[in-house]
Amino acid sequence: MTETETRPAASRAAASRAGALARAAEMFDTGALKARLTEFVAIPSTAQDPAFDAALHQYLDQAIRPWVERLGFTVTIHPNPLEGFGPILTAERIEDPARPTVLLYGHGDTVRGMDEQWSPGLTPWTVTERDGLWYGRGTADNKGQHIINLMALEAVLEARGGKLGGNVKLVLEMAEERGSKGLREFVAANAKLLAADALIASDGPRVMPEIPTIATGTRGTFHFDLVVKLRDGGVHSGHWGGLTTDPAVMLSHALGCMMDRNGKILVRDWLPRNGVPAEVRGVLQGCEVGGGGEAATIDAGWGEPGLTAAEKIYGWNSLIILAMTSGQPHAPVNAVAPDACAHCQIRYTVDTDPATFAESLRRHLDANGFQNVAIENAGIRMPASRTSPDHPWVRWARESMERSLGKHVQVIPNSSGGLPGDVFVDHLGVPLVWVPHSYNGCKQHGPDEHLLPAPAREGLLAFAGMWWDLGEKAA
């Protein structure tokens, strides 16, 4: 039973908190959240198509700015430090510098609309409810998530007569879907402006749709190409097949020496040297993973033997072959191809050093007889980050959420995907508290992206409780 449901028996102080939660719930139940989401999704703010650059500015200047100014924030929209990338909005609402300050983060840019790929009757820039789901580009990534957090703040300010009792800062970028280009430079240059006690924000999925989740970091991404180039052009398959080396076959065997047929990584220097850390294993004990829809399955025999599903995705590294080509798959010709290429990705935790990945792979390939396989374009796309799952701010957020929702909140050491948390750790020194409102099956980077209403409603309640508790003396 939630606190809202037990309100009549609560004390005067607790009733005020319950009243704030009731206001947040009302925002969902009356359709106010869906209406605001519909308004914001209608702005086609994709960062991946230059034709929509004006919409990046429109989202910040016409949607976010007037709303948060009504909530008492002072707002500034800054150009991105890197030419050609979207602007960055900062806002602050300071009541008492001696009180705790929370930094909210979000991104208003989206991936491409992919209009022609959506199911009949659905379009990316219109929120459509179908079969209990809210479809639209940005509903889950990330407009819906930061809208939920700001609407919860609005509910608490209404309940407290315009006062919060704590301080809030906001940074909203418009280039996350292009790798958060410029964000690191911006935060470094504006560290004083953005200084806070903790970053509490929302992006990514819960561990299960019905399980409220806190992630204290993210895995990083390291990319590289494996390339086999043997000649300048293709040669006749009849005259040369069986005589000259086929680069696709060589590449396939090279990939096979990196990972076995069951997904176990064989380049062991890529992995945490001491296994899953005890702190990580402890917090993941009993953690469920799933709810990703019909597009993917959790295959028990895939990946590192001896690890649970949660340990594989939150406490371990994974190798994924994102793409591979040889010849022209769309128009094959009778020739032995001249070359082959695979674009590979390592998702890694902070327990490994990505600076060693390329060197370790070179040694491994050479030791297995693949000196002709080149490693090209190797590097970090997004660094890993992690705050201790036992950090006081993490404990505070979990206790607040469990009080508001009346259910267990699962803490994970890092989410499975990537976010720019490292930027805020490196330049602001803040602990990370990510509270996702989505789930693995939301289709956020493809057609038919959608938001699940039930986690959205719980997100409103969870953040209303945290905003209320931020203003209490105990904070």
Side-chain angles (χ1 to χ4, degrees), residues 268 270-279 281 307 315-316 351-352:
R268 302 307 282 179
W270 283 350
L271 303 173
R273 291 192 178 277
N274 299 313
V276 179
E279 179 186 42
R281 191 179 295 275
L307 299 185
W316 205 246
D351 306 303
T352 46

Side-chain angles (χ1 to χ4, degrees), residues 340-364:
C341 178
H343 187 77
C344 308
Q345 178 193 72
I346 302 172
R347 292 272 181 177
Y348 70 94
T349 72
V350 296
D351 306 303
T352 46
D353 181 3
T356 67
F357 286 170
E359 180 183 351
S360 298
L361 177 58
R362 183 71 272 161
R363 289 197 306 268
H364 186 81

Side-chain angles (χ1 to χ4, degrees), residues 38 145 218 367:
T38 300
Q145 302 218 33
T218 57

Side-chain angles (χ1 to χ4, degrees), residues 121-141:
L122 301 178
T123 58
W125 311 117
T126 301
V127 173
T128 303
E129 184 169 359
R130 177 182 292 180
D131 299 326
L133 305 177
W134 296 355
Y135 288 90
R137 178 63 80 217
T139 52
D141 187 23

Side-chain angles (χ1 to χ4, degrees), residues 33 143-152 437 451 456 459-460 463:
L33 170 63
K143 294 180 181 181
Q145 302 218 33
H146 61 255
I147 289 171
I148 286 169
N149 299 346
L150 288 169
M151 290 195 77
H437 304 316
L451 186 68
L460 277 169
F463 263 82

Side-chain angles (χ1 to χ4, degrees), residues 67-314:
W67 181 22
V68 298
E69 285 181 340
R70 290 195 302 271
L71 299 182
F73 285 84
T74 300
V75 179
T76 305
I77 297 175
H78 313 258
N80 194 301
L82 301 185
E83 185 71 26
F85 294 93
I88 298 171
L89 176 146
T90 62
E92 61 178 6
R93 192 184 189 283
I94 307 299
E95 290 186 8
D96 181 355
R99 297 290 298 150
T101 299
V102 162
L103 176 64
L104 267 181
Y105 161 84
H107 65 92
D109 66 309
T110 72
V111 297
R112 291 180 178 86
M114 306 177 186
D115 304 52
E116 70 285 351
Q117 299 181 38
W118 287 58
S119 296
L122 301 178
T123 58
W125 311 117
T126 301
V127 173
T128 303
E129 184 169 359
R130 177 182 292 180
D131 299 326
L133 305 177
W134 296 355
Y135 288 90
R137 178 63 80 217
T139 52
D141 187 23
N142 172 259
K143 294 180 181 181
Q145 302 218 33
H146 61 255
I147 289 171
I148 286 169
N149 299 346
L150 288 169
M151 290 195 77
L153 176 62
E154 186 174 4
V156 172
L157 291 173
E158 290 175 358
R160 270 208 166 116
K163 295 292 185 180
L164 180 63
N167 309 306
V168 184
K169 295 182 179 181
L170 170 66
V171 57
L172 199 63
E173 65 162 318
M174 301 301 287
E176 196 271 350
E177 300 297 1
R178 296 178 67 190
S180 290
K181 297 294 186 182
L183 182 64
R184 175 171 288 275
E185 293 82 355
F186 179 82
V187 173
N190 293 276
K192 185 175 181 181
L193 172 67
L194 298 172
D197 295 290
L199 181 139
I200 303 180
S202 300
D203 205 339
R206 292 175 164 194
V207 297
M208 295 276 284
E210 67 275 12
I211 299 178
T213 302
I214 294 174
T216 63
T218 57
R219 289 200 295 181
T221 58
F222 183 93
H223 290 241
F224 60 94
D225 293 325
L226 278 192
V227 179
V228 180
K229 183 172 176 56
L230 301 181
R231 56 190 70 89
D232 290 334
V235 294
H236 194 284
S237 61
H239 302 325
W240 291 100
L243 295 178
T244 194
T245 302
D246 188 328
V249 174
M250 179 179 287
L251 179 62
S252 298
H253 283 274
L255 293 172
C257 90
M258 294 160 52
M259 173 182 281
D260 73 12
R261 62 177 295 168
N262 295 312
K264 176 183 177 180
I265 292 176
L266 302 178
V267 189
R268 302 307 282 179
D269 288 343
W270 283 350
L271 303 173
R273 291 192 178 277
N274 299 313
V276 179
E279 179 186 42
V280 172
R281 191 179 295 275
V283 78
L284 292 178
Q285 188 172 0
C287 176
E288 298 181 71
V289 179
E294 299 177 357
T297 59
I298 296 177
D299 302 315
W302 185 263
E304 184 70 19
L307 299 185
T308 67
E311 289 167 348
K312 289 176 184 178
I313 198 168
Y314 302 129

Side-chain angles (χ1 to χ4, degrees), residues 376-420:
E376 299 181 358
N377 305 313
I380 298 170
R381 293 283 181 89
M382 188 167 284
S385 61
R386 181 190 296 156
T387 293
S388 169
D390 195 42
H391 191 282
W393 272 99
V394 178
R395 295 201 309 269
W396 174 86
R398 177 179 56 79
E399 291 165 3
S400 174
M401 289 174 62
E402 290 184 340
R403 183 181 174 194
S404 298
L405 302 178
K407 61 194 297 187
H408 169 68
V409 172
Q410 177 67 56
V411 176
I412 56 177
N414 43 256
S415 69
S416 50
L419 287 169

